[in-house]
Amino acid sequence: MSRVTVHFPTLPLQEAAARPGGITRENALEAAQENLRAISGEGDATIEIALAALEAIVGQADGGRLTPEQLRAVLNEADQVVNMAGTFGYAALDRASRALCDVADGLLRAGRRDVAPVAVHVRAMRLFSPLCAAPSAEETGRVLAELAKVAAFYNFAPLE
């Protein structure tokens, strides 16, 4: 019986990883965090633009009702905030923004147009904005718990 020898090609990434040198994982993580800190001002500005757009949408609600287009715009702007808040570690803002996405999506799916649940989420997001004084952990917990009650009242499940 003859033996079959199988040869696997060497990939450039394998060669690079096998070479000595480079930086440690800890140093790479520190450098990445420093890069994030360096661009956090841009992220904060993006958050502020999205929050202003959300506040404008809420202010334009006609008779306490939003159009489907306005609700889709709410989803777009809230998604921007979710991305930035998650990237820059704004945990409370991230949770409030995700909750707004859940509510806006739920309203769209249910054919409802109520502005009130959107408005309360936008106000909470403003409280957690990086340019505002951070509420205490206790206050943050209370606000997030109240936002959860809004979704529960409407019986909206999280998008995730």
Side-chain angles (χ1 to χ4, degrees):
M1 178 185 244
S2 66
R3 286 187 108 159
V4 176
T5 306
V6 178
H7 295 279
F8 293 100
T10 304
L11 301 173
L13 181 59
Q14 287 173 311
E15 290 174 356
R19 279 188 233 130
I23 61 173
T24 65
R25 182 176 73 83
E26 289 79 18
N27 289 345
L29 288 174
E30 286 177 22
Q33 288 174 340
E34 184 57 39
N35 287 339
L36 279 177
R37 280 190 289 276
I39 63 168
S40 67
E42 293 173 43
D44 292 353
T46 300
I47 289 169
E48 288 303 310
I49 290 167
L51 286 175
L54 286 165
E55 290 165 339
I57 292 166
V58 167
Q60 294 166 356
D62 187 22
R65 297 177 58 76
L66 295 167
T67 66
E69 294 77 24
Q70 287 172 316
L71 283 169
R72 282 190 282 281
V74 166
L75 279 169
N76 272 345
E77 297 300 334
D79 185 55
Q80 284 275 356
V81 179
V82 167
N83 287 330
M84 292 295 108
T87 298
F88 295 104
Y90 303 130
L93 180 59
D94 182 59
R95 286 185 55 197
S97 303
R98 287 175 188 273
L100 175 56
C101 289
D102 297 340
V103 166
D105 181 68
L107 289 170
L108 273 170
R109 288 177 190 267
R112 298 191 68 164
R113 308 290 176 246
D114 308 344
V115 72
V118 173
V120 75
H121 280 77
V122 171
R123 283 188 211 112
M125 290 166 62
R126 176 55 72 191
L127 284 174
F128 300 135
S129 164
L131 299 184
C132 291
S136 70
E138 182 182 326
E139 292 166 330
T140 297
R142 277 198 310 261
V143 170
L144 293 174
E146 292 300 315
L147 293 181
K149 288 179 185 178
V150 172
F153 173 80
Y154 283 94
N155 201 27
F156 294 152
L159 286 173
E160 301 171 319

